[in-house]
Amino acid sequence: MSYKTLLTVISDIDQAKAPLDQASALAQQFEAHTDALCLGIDRTQTSYDYGMANAMLLQQSLQVARDQAAALQAFAEEHLARNGLPFSATTAVAPLGEVTRHIARRGRFCDLMVVAKPYGDNAAIEGEAIVEAGLFESAAPVLVVPQDTPVLKVPKTVQIGWNESAEALSAVRKAMPFLKAARSVHVVVIDPPRHGPDRSDPGGLLCQMLSRHGIHCEVNVLSKSLPRTADVLLRHAEDTDADLLVMGAYGHSRFREAILGGATRNILEAANRPVLMAH
């Protein structure tokens, strides 16, 4: 397995450089085709009140979104043309509530989606919707790239956040090209169940599966010494100098995580290195 079709979704020119640079580097590594979806977003939300909205205002907001998409397309083409590999940059215009539909249509046919970190300074308001559209509507693995971090090419060390869930296993399978290229893989298990079927060998079956692919891996069993699971994962990634974090996304509902918090949202907020997520 390899990544042969990469999709990056950009909607804000200030946040576009990191995912474009990352997608370009991975295209060189995997000899892949890169698609850039350049979204011009109508953020005025006037479409919810057609009866009282002025037609000129609607037309003006639509033209602003079109101009934004065109500027993003030119920016993407300039970046992606540098590596001499095949790419395409297309535009789409939509109100904020319709972003998911455009991403889902393109994301279903990619091997890996590369997007900017959805939270943080100057993050676009639609960033979270872009990530969730990839995970839920496209069923594609999503590589979330923080701003101002080194471009990931061949990861030396990969950390897997493992909790026996279907989401975590999906992320592992979809991260296989990275795992095979890495020198070492750490399977991190935090507070495994004391009475579970794998209590004597947490993560053992996963390591067995990975080792048959020629992947050198080891299990790190950690206690939840910090209030949030995400903080434990990120601190261990720092300690092991991991280039990439792999984990399942949204084991709980998105609504619950939005209200009560959860590992997925916390990682997306605090990540300081690329994170590959899958649902």
Side-chain angles (χ1 to χ4, degrees):
M1 176 186 173
S2 183
Y3 301 126
K4 290 302 182 183
T5 302
L6 306 176
L7 172 66
T8 182
V9 180
I10 55 176
S11 61
D12 188 313
I13 204 161
D14 293 331
Q15 300 288 312
K17 185 177 184 301
L20 285 171
D21 287 346
Q22 182 60 77
S24 184
L26 293 178
Q28 290 180 311
Q29 175 66 31
F30 295 108
E31 298 182 347
H33 181 101
T34 305
D35 293 324
L37 177 58
C38 308
L39 285 175
I41 300 177
D42 177 7
R43 297 182 174 86
T44 61
Q45 298 299 295
T46 54
S47 58
Y48 291 105
D49 192 10
Y50 280 114
M52 299 184 67
N54 183 283
M56 187 175 294
L57 176 61
L58 291 172
Q59 183 62 34
Q60 182 181 13
S61 62
L62 182 60
Q63 187 58 50
V64 168
R66 286 172 177 163
D67 292 343
Q68 178 193 33
L72 286 167
Q73 183 182 37
F75 188 78
E77 289 175 343
E78 179 186 355
H79 271 67
L80 297 176
R82 294 172 184 171
N83 63 15
L85 292 171
F87 72 92
S88 65
T90 57
T91 62
V93 175
L96 188 58
E98 290 292 320
V99 168
T100 297
R101 177 170 57 86
H102 290 278
I103 298 171
R105 181 173 177 272
R106 299 295 300 275
R108 289 171 184 156
F109 303 101
C110 77
D111 298 317
L112 178 68
M113 187 180 296
V114 182
V115 300
K117 180 180 171 182
Y119 304 110
D121 295 338
N122 302 318
I125 191 173
E126 64 275 2
E128 184 179 24
I130 291 173
V131 172
E132 292 185 355
L135 292 171
F136 290 95
E137 306 298 332
S138 303
V142 177
L143 183 65
V144 179
V145 184
Q147 300 292 323
D148 302 321
T149 56
V151 173
L152 176 69
K153 292 183 179 178
V154 179
K156 296 179 180 178
T157 305
V158 178
Q159 176 175 299
I160 298 172
W162 182 243
N163 61 359
E164 300 283 347
S165 68
E167 292 82 8
L169 185 57
S170 176
V172 169
R173 286 178 169 148
K174 292 174 180 177
M176 201 63 77
F178 286 125
L179 299 178
K180 289 182 177 180
R183 295 180 185 175
S184 63
V185 174
H186 295 265
V187 177
V188 177
V189 184
I190 300 174
D191 282 350
R194 295 182 179 180
H195 305 291
D198 299 318
R199 62 187 181 276
S200 62
D201 187 19
L205 289 176
L206 177 62
C207 279
Q208 181 185 79
M209 182 187 83
L210 295 177
S211 66
R212 289 171 179 167
H213 286 276
I215 298 169
H216 175 73
C217 57
E218 60 182 71
V219 177
N220 302 145
V221 180
L222 308 178
S223 62
K224 191 177 178 182
S225 55
L226 296 170
R228 304 192 309 179
T229 299
D231 294 331
V232 179
L233 286 172
L234 290 173
R235 185 177 68 177
H236 192 68
E238 194 76 35
D239 292 343
T240 58
D241 198 23
D243 306 293
L244 174 67
L245 175 59
V246 174
M247 61 180 289
Y250 293 105
H252 301 295
S253 72
R254 284 174 285 180
F255 179 78
R256 171 176 170 168
E257 292 222 6
I259 301 301
L260 301 177
T264 305
R265 185 181 178 90
N266 294 338
I267 286 287
L268 289 173
E269 290 175 344
N272 55 3
R273 67 200 64 229
V275 182
L276 188 148
M277 291 183 166
H279 181 72

